[in-house]
Amino acid sequence: MSRIAIIGGHGKVALHLSRILTGQGHEVSSMIRNPDHSGDVRDAGATPVIADVETASAGELADQLRGHDAVVWSAGAGGGNPERTYAVDRDAAIRSMDAATTAGVQRYIMVSYLGAGKDHGVPEDNSFFPYAEAKAAADEHLKSTSLDWTILGPGALTLEPATRKIQTGPGTPGGQVSREDVAMVAAEVLADPSTAGKVIEFINGSTPIPQAVRDI
């Protein structure tokens, strides 16, 4: 059994991941900002931890992460406000990485998106630009740390039921993947130390998730 902290614990991917991990016998702490979401987190098997990552210092986050075996970043500002996007998706994410290092939590999983990076190609006048810039900065910082990191790059997220099958590598335009399958990939990666140091881009496909992760 492992203790796993999920940051952004009320998101749909995070709730799926909590159900999967607790079903496997792991202990999950889910960081959420809104106490009203505690019931949903508990229903998914996780323990709610009230913490606003947007304002929490690296030291405060380290206190919350200490004693865990891994951390999964699944938080996001949700778009719409560029300042908040940078504050959460870049700055808070980077603080969480520094906090994990301070707390001695070596394993770190980042949920990013397919195509993320410095060469994301999103025009500055596009409303997606702040998010693309924020994720690029966060992912680059993570790669520079001494953490055992894995970056997940799923395609466009859907609410479809899990197929339990994916295609890895750069996706075709319009490539999609269900949120439940993203959670299954995250759980598989957490169980496989050999995925440390890898960026895994994927969409729904024809290869069973355990095999696809093993073959990366």
Side-chain angles (χ1 to χ4, degrees):
M1 185 187 81
S2 297
R3 291 191 71 207
I4 299 161
I6 301 177
I7 301 175
H10 191 251
K12 293 180 177 66
V13 170
L15 290 172
H16 281 305
L17 181 57
S18 293
R19 293 186 193 98
I20 295 167
L21 293 174
T22 56
Q24 294 172 344
H26 301 296
E27 182 181 334
V28 177
S29 304
S30 281
M31 284 193 195
I32 55 175
R33 183 179 58 164
N34 188 345
D36 293 342
H37 294 158
S38 297
D40 293 337
V41 168
R42 289 194 189 95
D43 289 345
T47 300
V49 177
I50 310 303
D52 186 350
V53 296
E54 184 177 356
T55 59
S57 67
E60 289 167 336
L61 290 173
D63 289 341
Q64 300 288 3
L65 295 178
R66 200 166 279 112
H68 290 82
D69 301 296
V71 57
V72 178
W73 176 274
S74 191
N81 183 327
E83 285 187 9
R84 186 157 186 268
T85 295
Y86 286 117
V88 175
D89 293 285
R90 182 190 62 194
D91 301 341
I94 288 173
R95 283 198 302 275
S96 76
M97 300 164 198
D98 298 340
T101 301
T102 299
V105 184
Q106 190 63 23
R107 192 73 169 108
Y108 190 107
I109 312 299
M110 165 61 74
V111 180
S112 189
Y113 73 95
L114 193 153
K118 290 183 289 187
D119 301 323
H120 54 70
V122 179
E124 285 191 43
D125 59 357
N126 190 304
S127 61
F128 191 73
F129 181 79
Y131 181 76
E133 285 286 286
K135 293 301 279 186
D139 290 357
E140 286 304 307
H141 183 85
L142 182 56
K143 292 175 185 177
S144 74
T145 69
S146 60
L147 297 168
D148 294 329
W149 56 266
T150 304
I151 297 173
L152 303 184
L157 303 177
T158 75
L159 294 172
E160 296 299 313
T163 68
R164 301 175 184 271
K165 294 180 180 180
I166 59 172
Q167 167 191 326
T168 58
T172 55
Q176 297 180 326
V177 61
S178 82
R179 286 171 169 83
E180 190 172 5
D181 281 319
V182 176
M184 289 182 173
V185 172
E188 197 67 35
V189 163
L190 280 165
D192 186 351
S194 73
T195 59
K198 295 181 179 179
V199 178
I200 304 174
E201 294 188 317
F202 61 97
I203 58 175
N204 276 133
S206 59
T207 305
I209 288 172
Q211 179 185 336
V213 170
R214 279 198 310 270
D215 290 347
I216 291 168

